[in-house]
Coordinates of all heavy atoms in Angstrom, one line a residue:
M56 N 28.7 79.0 84.1 CA 29.5 77.9 84.5 C 30.8 78.4 85.3 O 31.2 77.7 86.2 CB 29.9 77.0 83.3 CG 30.4 75.8 83.6 SD 29.4 74.7 84.3 CE 30.2 73.2 84.3
V57 N 31.4 79.5 84.7 CA 32.5 79.9 85.4 C 32.1 80.5 86.8 O 33.0 80.4 87.8 CB 33.2 81.1 84.5 CG1 34.4 81.6 85.2 CG2 33.7 80.4 83.0
L58 N 31.0 81.1 87.0 CA 30.7 81.6 88.1 C 30.5 80.6 89.2 O 30.8 80.8 90.4 CB 29.3 82.5 88.0 CG 28.6 83.0 89.1 CD1 29.6 84.2 89.6 CD2 27.4 83.7 88.8
Y59 N 29.9 79.4 88.8 CA 29.7 78.3 89.7 C 31.0 77.8 90.3 O 31.2 77.5 91.3 CB 28.9 77.2 88.9 CG 28.6 76.0 89.7 CD1 27.7 76.0 90.8 CD2 29.4 74.8 89.5 CE1 27.6 74.9 91.7 CE2 29.1 73.7 90.3 CZ 28.2 73.7 91.3 OH 28.1 72.6 92.0
R60 N 32.0 77.7 89.3 CA 33.3 77.2 89.7 C 34.0 78.2 90.6 O 34.7 77.8 91.7 CB 34.2 77.0 88.6 CG 33.8 75.8 87.7 CD 34.7 75.5 86.6 NE 34.3 74.4 85.9 CZ 34.8 73.9 84.7 NH1 35.8 74.6 84.3 NH2 34.4 72.9 84.1
L61 N 33.9 79.5 90.4 CA 34.4 80.5 91.2 C 33.8 80.5 92.6 O 34.4 80.5 93.6 CB 34.2 82.0 90.7 CG 34.6 83.1 91.4 CD1 36.2 83.0 91.5 CD2 34.2 84.4 90.7
L62 N 32.5 80.3 92.7 CA 31.9 80.1 94.0 C 32.3 78.9 94.8 O 32.4 79.0 95.9 CB 30.3 80.2 93.8 CG 29.7 81.6 93.4 CD1 28.1 81.4 93.2 CD2 29.9 82.7 94.5
N63 N 32.4 77.9 94.0 CA 32.9 76.6 94.6 C 34.3 76.9 95.2 O 34.7 76.3 96.3 CB 32.9 75.5 93.8 CG 31.4 74.8 93.7 OD1 30.7 75.1 94.5 ND2 31.2 74.0 92.6
L64 N 35.2 77.6 94.5 CA 36.5 77.8 94.9 C 36.6 78.7 96.0 O 37.2 78.4 97.0 CB 37.3 78.5 93.7 CG 38.8 78.9 94.1 CD1 39.6 77.7 94.3 CD2 39.4 79.7 93.0
V65 N 35.8 79.8 96.2 CA 35.6 80.6 97.3 C 35.2 79.8 98.6 O 35.8 79.9 99.7 CB 34.7 81.8 97.1 CG1 34.4 82.6 98.3 CG2 35.3 82.8 96.1
N66 N 34.1 79.0 98.3 CA 33.7 78.1 99.5 C 34.7 77.1 99.9 O 34.9 76.9 101.1 CB 32.4 77.3 99.1 CG 31.2 78.3 99.0 OD1 31.1 79.2 99.8 ND2 30.3 78.0 98.1
D67 N 35.5 76.5 99.0 CA 36.6 75.6 99.4 C 37.6 76.3 100.2 O 38.2 75.7 101.1 CB 37.1 74.9 98.2 CG 36.0 73.9 97.5 OD1 35.1 73.6 98.1 OD2 36.3 73.5 96.4
I68 N 38.0 77.4 99.8 CA 39.1 78.1 100.5 C 38.7 78.6 101.9 O 39.4 78.4 102.8 CB 39.4 79.4 99.7 CG1 40.3 78.9 98.3 CG2 40.4 80.4 100.5 CD1 40.5 80.1 97.4
A69 N 37.4 79.0 101.9 CA 36.9 79.4 103.3 C 36.9 78.1 104.1 O 37.1 78.1 105.4 CB 35.5 80.0 103.1
Y70 N 36.5 77.0 103.6 CA 36.4 75.8 104.4 C 37.8 75.4 104.8 O 38.0 74.9 106.0 CB 35.9 74.7 103.5 CG 35.7 73.2 104.2 CD1 34.8 73.1 105.3 CD2 36.6 72.2 103.9 CE1 34.7 71.9 106.0 CE2 36.5 71.1 104.6 CZ 35.6 70.8 105.6 OH 35.5 69.6 106.2
L71 N 38.8 75.4 104.0 CA 40.1 75.1 104.3 C 40.7 76.1 105.4 O 41.4 75.7 106.3 CB 41.1 75.2 103.0 CG 42.6 74.9 103.3 CD1 42.8 73.6 103.7 CD2 43.2 75.1 102.0
Y72 N 40.4 77.4 105.1 CA 40.8 78.3 106.2 C 40.2 78.0 107.6 O 40.8 78.2 108.7 CB 40.6 79.7 105.7 CG 41.3 80.8 106.5 CD1 42.7 80.8 106.3 CD2 40.7 81.7 107.3 CE1 43.6 81.7 107.1 CE2 41.5 82.6 108.0 CZ 42.7 82.7 107.9 OH 43.5 83.5 108.6
T73 N 38.9 77.6 107.5 CA 38.3 77.3 108.7 C 38.9 76.1 109.4 O 39.2 76.1 110.7 CB 36.7 77.0 108.5 OG1 36.1 78.0 108.0 CG2 36.0 76.6 109.8
I74 N 39.3 75.2 108.7 CA 39.9 74.0 109.3 C 41.3 74.5 109.9 O 41.7 74.1 111.0 CB 40.2 72.9 108.2 CG1 38.8 72.2 107.9 CG2 41.2 71.8 108.6 CD1 39.0 71.3 106.7
L75 N 42.1 75.4 109.3 CA 43.3 75.8 109.8 C 43.1 76.7 111.0 O 43.9 76.6 112.0 CB 44.0 76.8 108.7 CG 44.5 76.0 107.5 CD1 45.1 76.9 106.5 CD2 45.4 74.9 107.8
L76 N 42.0 77.3 111.1 CA 41.8 78.1 112.4 C 41.4 77.2 113.5 O 41.8 77.4 114.7 CB 40.5 79.0 112.2 CG 40.9 80.3 111.3 CD1 39.5 81.1 111.0 CD2 41.9 81.3 112.0
V77 N 40.7 76.1 113.1 CA 40.4 75.1 114.4 C 41.6 74.4 114.8 O 41.9 74.2 115.9 CB 39.3 74.1 113.8 CG1 39.2 72.9 114.7 CG2 38.0 74.7 113.7
V78 N 42.6 74.0 113.8 CA 43.8 73.4 114.1 C 44.6 74.3 115.0 O 45.3 74.0 116.0 CB 44.6 72.8 113.0 CG1 45.8 72.4 113.3 CG2 43.8 71.9 112.3
Y79 N 44.6 75.6 114.7 CA 45.4 76.5 115.3 C 44.8 76.8 116.9 O 45.6 76.9 117.8 CB 45.2 78.0 114.7 CG 46.0 79.2 115.3 CD1 47.3 79.2 115.2 CD2 45.3 80.2 116.0 CE1 48.0 80.2 115.9 CE2 46.0 81.1 116.6 CZ 47.4 81.2 116.6 OH 48.1 82.3 117.1
A80 N 43.5 76.7 116.9 CA 42.9 76.8 118.3 C 43.2 75.7 119.1 O 43.6 75.7 120.3 CB 41.3 76.9 118.2
L81 N 43.3 74.4 118.4 CA 43.6 73.1 119.2 C 45.1 73.0 119.6 O 45.4 72.4 120.6 CB 43.3 71.9 118.3 CG 41.7 71.7 118.1 CD1 41.5 70.5 117.2 CD2 41.1 71.6 119.3
L82 N 45.9 73.8 119.0 CA 47.3 73.8 119.4 C 47.5 74.4 120.8 O 48.6 74.2 121.4 CB 48.1 74.7 118.3 CG 48.6 73.9 117.0 CD1 49.4 74.7 116.1 CD2 49.4 72.6 117.4
S83 N 46.6 75.2 121.2 CA 46.7 75.8 122.5 C 46.6 74.8 123.6 O 47.0 75.1 124.7 CB 45.6 76.9 122.6 OG 44.4 76.4 122.7
W84 N 46.1 73.6 123.2 CA 45.9 72.6 124.2 C 47.3 71.8 124.5 O 47.4 71.1 125.5 CB 45.0 71.5 123.9 CG 43.6 72.0 123.9 CD1 43.0 73.3 124.0 CD2 42.5 71.2 123.4 NE1 41.8 73.3 123.8 CE2 41.3 72.0 123.5 CE3 42.2 69.9 123.0 CZ2 40.1 71.6 123.1 CZ3 41.0 69.4 122.7 CH2 39.9 70.3 122.9
F85 N 48.2 72.0 123.6 CA 49.5 71.3 123.7 C 50.7 72.3 124.2 O 50.8 73.3 123.5 CB 49.9 70.6 122.4 CG 49.0 69.7 122.0 CD1 47.9 70.0 120.9 CD2 48.8 68.4 122.6 CE1 46.9 69.1 120.6 CE2 47.8 67.5 122.1 CZ 46.9 67.8 121.1
P86 N 51.4 72.0 125.2 CA 52.5 72.8 125.6 C 53.6 73.0 124.4 O 53.9 72.0 123.9 CB 53.1 72.1 126.8 CG 52.1 71.1 127.2 CD 51.3 70.8 126.1
G87 N 53.8 74.1 124.1 CA 54.8 74.3 123.0 C 54.2 74.1 121.6 O 54.9 74.0 120.6
G88 N 52.8 74.0 121.6 CA 52.2 73.8 120.3 C 52.5 74.8 119.3 O 52.7 74.6 118.0
Y89 N 52.5 76.0 119.8 CA 52.7 77.3 118.7 C 54.2 77.5 118.5 O 54.5 78.2 117.5 CB 52.3 78.5 119.4 CG 50.7 78.6 119.6 CD1 50.1 78.9 120.9 CD2 49.8 78.4 118.7 CE1 48.8 78.8 121.0 CE2 48.5 78.4 118.7 CZ 47.9 78.6 119.9 OH 46.5 78.6 120.1
D90 N 55.0 76.7 119.2 CA 56.5 76.9 118.9 C 57.0 75.9 117.9 O 58.2 75.8 117.5 CB 57.3 76.8 120.2 CG 57.0 77.9 121.0 OD1 56.8 79.0 120.5 OD2 57.1 77.8 122.3
S91 N 56.1 74.8 117.5 CA 56.5 73.8 116.6 C 56.4 74.4 115.2 O 56.0 75.5 115.0 CB 55.5 72.7 116.7 OG 54.3 73.0 116.3
A92 N 57.0 73.6 114.3 CA 56.9 74.1 112.9 C 55.5 74.3 112.2 O 55.3 75.4 111.8 CB 57.6 73.0 111.9
I93 N 54.5 73.5 112.7 CA 53.2 73.6 112.2 C 52.6 74.8 112.9 O 51.9 75.5 112.3 CB 52.5 72.4 112.6 CG1 52.8 71.2 111.8 CG2 50.9 72.7 112.4 CD1 52.3 69.8 112.1
G94 N 53.0 75.0 114.2 CA 52.4 76.2 115.0 C 52.9 77.5 114.4 O 52.1 78.4 114.3
R95 N 54.3 77.5 114.1 CA 54.7 78.8 113.4 C 54.1 79.1 112.1 O 53.8 80.2 111.7 CB 56.2 78.7 113.3 CG 56.9 78.7 114.6 CD 58.4 78.8 114.5 NE 59.0 77.8 113.8 CZ 59.5 76.7 114.2 NH1 59.4 76.5 115.5 NH2 60.0 75.8 113.4
F96 N 53.8 78.0 111.3 CA 53.3 78.2 109.9 C 51.8 78.6 110.1 O 51.3 79.7 109.4 CB 53.2 76.9 109.2 CG 52.4 76.8 107.9 CD1 52.9 77.5 106.8 CD2 51.2 76.2 108.0 CE1 52.2 77.4 105.7 CE2 50.4 76.0 106.7 CZ 50.9 76.8 105.7
L97 N 51.0 78.0 111.0 CA 49.7 78.5 111.3 C 49.5 79.9 111.8 O 48.6 80.6 111.6 CB 48.9 77.5 112.2 CG 48.7 76.1 111.6 CD1 48.1 75.3 112.6 CD2 47.6 76.3 110.4
R98 N 50.6 80.2 112.7 CA 50.5 81.6 113.3 C 50.6 82.6 112.1 O 49.9 83.6 112.2 CB 51.7 81.7 114.3 CG 51.7 83.0 114.9 CD 52.8 83.2 115.8 NE 52.7 82.2 116.9 CZ 53.8 81.8 117.6 NH1 55.0 82.3 117.4 NH2 53.6 80.8 118.6
K99 N 51.6 82.3 111.1 CA 51.8 83.3 110.0 C 50.4 83.4 109.3 O 50.1 84.6 108.7 CB 52.8 82.8 109.1 CG 54.2 83.0 109.8 CD 55.3 82.6 108.9 CE 56.6 82.7 109.4 NZ 57.7 82.2 108.6
I100 N 49.7 82.2 109.1 CA 48.4 82.3 108.3 C 47.3 82.8 109.1 O 46.4 83.6 108.5 CB 48.2 80.9 107.7 CG1 49.2 80.5 106.8 CG2 46.8 80.9 107.1 CD1 49.2 79.0 106.3
C101 N 47.1 82.4 110.3 CA 46.0 82.7 111.1 C 45.9 84.1 111.9 O 44.9 84.8 112.1 CB 45.6 81.7 112.1 SG 45.3 80.0 111.2
E102 N 47.0 84.5 112.4 CA 47.1 85.6 113.2 C 46.7 86.9 112.5 O 46.0 87.8 113.2 CB 48.5 85.8 113.8 CG 48.9 85.0 115.0 CD 48.1 85.3 116.2 OE1 47.8 86.5 116.4 OE2 47.6 84.3 116.9
P103 N 47.0 87.2 111.3 CA 46.6 88.4 110.7 C 44.9 88.6 110.7 O 44.5 89.6 110.9 CB 47.0 88.4 109.2 CG 48.3 87.4 109.3 CD 48.0 86.4 110.4
Y104 N 44.3 87.5 110.4 CA 42.8 87.5 110.5 C 42.3 87.6 111.8 O 41.5 88.4 112.2 CB 42.4 86.3 109.7 CG 40.8 86.2 109.8 CD1 39.9 87.2 109.2 CD2 40.2 85.1 110.5 CE1 38.6 87.1 109.2 CE2 38.8 84.9 110.5 CZ 38.0 85.9 109.9 OH 36.6 85.9 109.9
L105 N 42.8 86.8 112.7 CA 42.4 86.8 114.2 C 42.6 88.1 114.9 O 42.0 88.4 115.9 CB 43.2 85.6 114.9 CG 42.6 84.3 114.4 CD1 43.5 83.2 115.2 CD2 41.1 84.1 114.7
S106 N 43.7 88.8 114.4 CA 44.0 90.1 115.1 C 42.8 91.2 114.9 O 42.8 92.0 115.6 CB 45.4 90.6 114.5 OG 45.3 91.0 113.2
L107 N 42.1 90.8 113.9 CA 40.9 91.8 113.7 C 40.0 91.7 114.8 O 39.2 92.7 115.1 CB 40.3 91.5 112.4 CG 41.1 91.7 111.1 CD1 40.2 91.0 110.0 CD2 41.5 93.1 110.9
F108 N 40.0 90.6 115.4 CA 39.0 90.4 116.6 C 39.6 90.4 117.9 O 38.8 90.1 119.0 CB 38.4 88.9 116.4 CG 37.7 88.7 115.1 CD1 38.4 88.2 114.0 CD2 36.4 89.2 114.9 CE1 37.8 88.0 112.8 CE2 35.8 89.0 113.7 CZ 36.5 88.4 112.6
D109 N 40.8 90.9 118.1 CA 41.5 91.0 119.4 C 40.8 92.0 120.3 O 40.7 91.8 121.5 CB 43.0 91.3 119.2 CG 43.8 90.0 118.8 OD1 43.2 88.9 119.0 OD2 44.8 90.2 118.4
H110 N 40.3 93.0 119.8 CA 39.8 94.1 120.6 C 38.4 93.7 121.2 O 38.0 94.6 122.1 CB 39.6 95.4 119.8 CG 38.7 95.3 118.7 ND1 39.0 94.7 117.5 CD2 37.4 95.8 118.7 CE1 38.0 94.8 116.7 NE2 36.9 95.4 117.4
L111 N 37.7 92.7 120.8 CA 36.5 92.3 121.2 C 36.5 91.7 122.5 O 35.5 91.8 123.4 CB 35.7 91.3 120.3 CG 35.4 91.9 118.9 CD1 34.8 90.6 117.9 CD2 34.6 93.0 118.9
N112 N 37.7 91.0 123.0 CA 37.8 90.4 124.2 C 36.6 89.5 124.6 O 35.9 89.8 125.6 CB 38.1 91.5 125.3 CG 38.6 90.8 126.5 OD1 39.1 89.8 126.6 ND2 38.5 91.6 127.8
L113 N 36.5 88.4 123.8 CA 35.3 87.6 124.1 C 35.8 86.3 124.9 O 35.8 85.2 124.5 CB 34.9 87.0 122.7 CG 34.3 88.1 121.7 CD1 34.0 87.4 120.4 CD2 33.0 88.7 122.3
S114 N 36.1 86.8 126.2 CA 36.6 85.7 127.1 C 35.6 85.4 128.2 O 35.1 86.3 128.7 CB 38.0 86.0 127.7 OG 39.0 86.2 126.7
L115 N 35.6 84.1 128.5 CA 34.7 83.7 129.6 C 35.6 83.0 130.6 O 35.8 81.8 130.4 CB 33.5 83.0 129.1 CG 32.4 82.5 130.2 CD1 31.8 83.8 130.9 CD2 31.4 81.7 129.6
G116 N 36.1 83.6 131.5 CA 37.1 83.0 132.4 C 38.5 82.6 131.6 O 38.8 83.5 130.8
P117 N 38.9 81.5 131.7 CA 40.1 81.2 130.9 C 40.0 80.8 129.4 O 40.8 80.6 128.7 CB 40.6 80.0 131.6 CG 39.5 79.3 132.2 CD 38.6 80.4 132.6
I118 N 38.6 80.7 129.0 CA 38.3 80.4 127.6 C 38.1 81.5 126.7 O 37.3 82.4 127.1 CB 36.9 79.4 127.5 CG1 37.2 78.2 128.5 CG2 36.7 79.1 126.3 CD1 35.9 77.5 128.7
N119 N 38.8 81.6 125.6 CA 38.7 82.8 124.8 C 37.9 82.3 123.5 O 38.2 81.2 122.9 CB 40.1 83.1 124.3 CG 40.1 84.4 123.5 OD1 39.1 84.9 123.0 ND2 41.2 85.0 123.4
F120 N 36.9 83.0 123.3 CA 35.9 82.7 122.1 C 36.3 83.6 120.8 O 35.3 83.5 119.9 CB 34.5 82.9 122.5 CG 34.1 81.8 123.5 CD1 34.0 82.2 124.8 CD2 33.7 80.6 123.1 CE1 33.6 81.4 125.8 CE2 33.3 79.6 124.1 CZ 33.3 79.9 125.4
N121 N 37.4 84.2 120.7 CA 37.6 85.1 119.6 C 37.7 84.1 118.4 O 37.2 84.6 117.3 CB 39.0 85.8 119.7 CG 38.8 86.9 120.7 OD1 37.6 87.4 121.0 ND2 39.8 87.6 121.1
I122 N 38.4 83.1 118.5 CA 38.5 82.0 117.3 C 37.2 81.6 116.8 O 36.8 81.6 115.6 CB 39.6 81.0 117.5 CG1 40.9 81.6 117.7 CG2 39.6 80.0 116.3 CD1 41.9 80.5 118.0
A123 N 36.3 81.3 117.7 CA 34.9 80.8 117.3 C 34.2 81.8 116.7 O 33.6 81.7 115.6 CB 34.2 80.3 118.6
F124 N 34.2 83.1 117.2 CA 33.6 84.2 116.5 C 34.2 84.5 115.1 O 33.4 84.9 114.2 CB 33.7 85.5 117.4 CG 32.9 86.6 116.9 CD1 31.5 86.6 117.0 CD2 33.6 87.8 116.5 CE1 30.8 87.7 116.6 CE2 32.8 88.8 116.0 CZ 31.4 88.8 116.1
A125 N 35.6 84.5 115.0 CA 36.3 84.7 113.7 C 35.7 83.6 112.6 O 35.5 84.1 111.5 CB 37.7 84.7 113.8
I126 N 35.5 82.5 113.1 CA 35.0 81.5 112.2 C 33.5 81.7 111.7 O 33.2 81.6 110.6 CB 35.1 80.0 112.8 CG1 36.6 79.6 113.0 CG2 34.4 78.9 112.0 CD1 36.8 78.4 113.7
I127 N 32.8 82.2 112.7 CA 31.4 82.4 112.4 C 31.3 83.5 111.4 O 30.5 83.6 110.4 CB 30.6 82.7 113.7 CG1 30.4 81.4 114.5 CG2 29.2 83.3 113.4 CD1 29.9 81.7 115.9
V128 N 32.1 84.7 111.7 CA 32.1 85.8 110.7 C 32.6 85.3 109.3 O 32.0 85.8 108.3 CB 33.0 87.0 111.4 CG1 33.3 88.0 110.4 CG2 32.4 87.5 112.7
L129 N 33.6 84.5 109.3 CA 34.1 84.1 107.9 C 33.1 83.3 107.2 O 32.8 83.6 106.1 CB 35.3 83.1 108.2 CG 35.8 82.5 106.9 CD1 36.5 83.6 106.0 CD2 37.0 81.5 107.3
Q130 N 32.4 82.4 107.9 CA 31.3 81.7 107.2 C 30.1 82.5 106.8 O 29.7 82.3 105.6 CB 30.9 80.5 108.1 CG 31.9 79.4 108.4 CD 32.4 78.7 107.2 OE1 31.5 78.4 106.3 NE2 33.7 78.6 107.1
L131 N 29.8 83.4 107.6 CA 28.6 84.3 107.2 C 29.0 85.2 106.1 O 28.2 85.6 105.2 CB 28.2 85.1 108.4 CG 27.5 84.4 109.5 CD1 27.3 85.5 110.8 CD2 26.2 83.9 109.1
A132 N 30.3 85.6 106.1 CA 30.8 86.6 104.9 C 30.7 85.8 103.6 O 30.4 86.3 102.5 CB 32.3 87.1 105.2
V133 N 31.0 84.6 103.6 CA 31.2 83.7 102.4 C 29.7 83.3 101.9 O 29.5 83.5 100.9 CB 31.9 82.4 102.7 CG1 31.8 81.4 101.5 CG2 33.4 82.5 102.8
Q134 N 28.8 83.2 102.9 CA 27.5 82.9 102.5 C 26.9 84.2 101.9 O 26.1 84.2 100.9 CB 26.7 82.4 103.7 CG 26.9 81.1 104.1 CD 26.1 80.8 105.3 OE1 25.3 81.4 105.8 NE2 26.5 79.5 105.9
A135 N 27.2 85.2 102.5 CA 26.7 86.6 102.0 C 27.2 86.9 100.6 O 26.4 87.3 99.8 CB 26.9 87.7 103.0
L136 N 28.5 86.7 100.4 CA 29.1 86.8 99.2 C 28.5 86.1 98.1 O 28.2 86.4 97.0 CB 30.6 86.7 99.3 CG 31.4 86.9 97.9 CD1 31.4 88.4 97.5 CD2 32.8 86.4 98.2
T137 N 28.3 84.8 98.4 CA 27.7 83.8 97.5 C 26.2 84.3 97.0 O 25.9 84.3 95.9 CB 27.6 82.4 98.1 OG1 29.0 82.0 98.6 CG2 26.9 81.4 97.2
R138 N 25.4 84.7 98.1 CA 24.0 85.2 97.8 C 24.2 86.4 96.9 O 23.2 86.5 96.0 CB 23.3 85.4 99.1 CG 22.9 84.1 99.8 CD 22.3 84.4 101.1 NE 22.0 83.1 101.8 CZ 20.9 82.7 102.3 NH1 19.9 83.6 102.4 NH2 20.7 81.6 102.9
I139 N 25.0 87.3 97.2 CA 25.0 88.5 96.4 C 25.5 88.3 95.0 O 24.9 88.8 94.1 CB 26.0 89.5 97.1 CG1 25.5 90.0 98.4 CG2 26.4 90.8 96.1 CD1 26.4 90.9 99.2
I140 N 26.5 87.4 94.7 CA 26.8 87.2 93.5 C 25.7 86.4 92.6 O 25.5 86.6 91.5 CB 28.2 86.3 93.5 CG1 29.3 87.2 93.9 CG2 28.5 85.8 92.1 CD1 30.6 86.5 94.1
V141 N 25.1 85.4 93.4 CA 24.0 84.7 92.6 C 22.8 85.7 92.3 O 22.3 85.5 91.2 CB 23.6 83.4 93.6 CG1 22.3 82.9 93.0 CG2 24.6 82.4 93.6
A142 N 22.6 86.6 93.2 CA 21.5 87.5 93.0 C 21.9 88.4 91.7 O 20.9 88.9 91.1 CB 21.2 88.3 94.2
I143 N 23.1 88.7 91.7 CA 23.4 89.7 90.5 C 23.4 89.0 89.2 O 23.0 89.5 88.2 CB 24.8 90.2 90.8 CG1 24.9 91.2 92.0 CG2 25.5 90.9 89.5 CD1 26.3 91.7 92.5
F144 N 23.8 87.8 89.2 CA 23.9 87.0 87.9 C 22.8 86.1 87.8 O 22.5 85.4 86.9 CB 25.2 86.3 87.7 CG 26.4 87.2 87.7 CD1 27.2 87.4 88.8 CD2 26.6 87.8 86.5 CE1 28.3 88.3 88.6 CE2 27.8 88.8 86.4 CZ 28.6 89.0 87.4

């Protein structure tokens, strides 16, 4: 029962972080979006994780796919962690 709650908590945190990453990406559409209070807050939360993917340079013209790739990696990692924990217990 505790394991089930722990897995739900991990999934909920990953879902919330995914939403924050999407909002962070959408801020690029607004001039000065990253300079607002919300933008500064999201920068502090999202930039450390996104900096892991900066060296990949997943750009196609003016569109940068680093955030999309980071979201996919996050979701795959959570799914893998869930399967490993369920397999162990």
